[in-house]
Structure formats: structure tokens, C-alpha cells
Amino acid sequence: MAAGNKLPDKGSVFISVRDEDKENILLLCQVIEKLNFKIFATKGTADFLSKFAINVKMIKKVNEGSPHIVDFIQKNKIHLIINTTSGVKSISDSLSIRRTALTKKIPYFTTISAAKIAITGLNIITDNEISVKSIQELYNT
């Protein structure tokens, strides 16, 4: 919050993770659903999540034609992104997603551990009001 990075409290999350991260995303998706976010994912991730009763909508990769993930980001339909990649091609493919997310100021997480921290934080602030105060406000002398 203090750094100007605001996490959304509602909306849609786009998830596209490499195969070795898929099992680690399950619990996170359950929390995301509990927070009433819609989940969008690329085919491989969506197929995996669907097997575990996660309500997910499939969205195309950029190279699969429109409407694709960048189209959704540009139309303000995505509010948070979790995208892990491996390999040169996968990293290159996600460049347009990263660039568009940066332009639109959408929180973007490239590791499961960072995404877990963010979603845990969202889960905590839904039950508690959090504010930022300066040191001077806390320690009036």
C-alpha cells in the first residue's frame, strides 16, 4: 500500500502456470474463489483446475488468436495476474502480457510464492480494515 501497489478487492484473476506449479496453485485458487474473484486461465491451467472443481473460464493465449488474454487486459476485464513461465519461448510469449499489465497497472506475479503472499494479504484485508500511517502519527512526541 505504501509503495502504491494496490491489490484489487474484486474482479477477475488470470492464471497461467507452468506444469510444475499446477499442484501448488490449487489451494490458492480455492481462496481466490472464496474472495469472489472470477478465474480465467489458459487451456492447460484451466483443464487442470477444472479437474479439481475450480470454477474457471478458459482464455486464449496471444498466439491462439482473438479474443486473447491481452485483449481482456486492455478492456479492463482482468484485475490480477499470476503467470509462471519456464523456457525461452514461454517467457517470450508472456512479454505482451507483462507489458500490458504494467501499462494498465495490474498486479502481476511471476512466482507461486509471491502470488500466495498477495492472495493471503487479500484474504486478511477482507476481514480487517488496514490503513497506512506515518511513524510520526504513531509516535506523537
Side-chain angles (χ1 to χ4, degrees), residues 15-140:
I15 302 172
S16 180
V17 296
R18 57 191 182 169
D19 288 341
E20 52 265 35
D21 289 334
K22 285 186 171 53
E23 286 184 19
N24 294 319
I25 205 79
L26 282 174
L27 181 59
L28 200 55
C29 287
Q30 290 172 338
V31 174
I32 290 168
E33 281 187 322
K34 175 188 165 263
L35 295 171
N36 294 316
F37 281 85
K38 292 179 186 171
I39 299 174
F40 289 89
T42 52
K43 182 171 178 19
T45 301
D47 288 347
F48 178 81
L49 293 174
S50 294
K51 289 178 189 175
F52 294 92
I54 301 293
N55 187 15
V56 59
K57 293 183 180 113
M58 202 278 288
I59 190 168
K60 293 179 185 176
K61 294 179 181 181
V62 175
N63 63 4
E64 294 173 338
S66 290
H68 51 66
I69 178 55
V70 172
D71 294 332
F72 275 63
I73 296 169
Q74 288 174 335
K75 293 177 182 175
N76 300 313
K77 293 181 179 181
I78 302 294
H79 305 96
L80 190 135
I81 298 170
I82 301 169
N83 184 345
T84 65
T85 56
S86 60
V88 175
K89 180 169 176 10
S90 181
I91 292 168
S92 174
D93 288 347
S94 67
L95 176 63
S96 60
I97 298 170
R98 291 191 311 273
R99 182 182 304 128
T100 308
L102 181 64
T103 302
K104 292 290 204 171
K105 298 183 180 174
I106 296 171
Y108 189 105
F109 301 96
T110 58
T111 64
I112 298 301
S113 58
K116 282 181 182 178
I117 291 168
I119 300 303
T120 300
L122 278 174
N123 194 28
I124 290 169
I125 63 173
T126 56
D127 296 330
N128 304 296
E129 188 172 322
I130 295 177
S131 62
V132 177
K133 293 184 179 183
S134 69
I135 291 176
Q136 293 80 3
E137 289 174 301
L138 293 174
Y139 299 100
N140 283 332

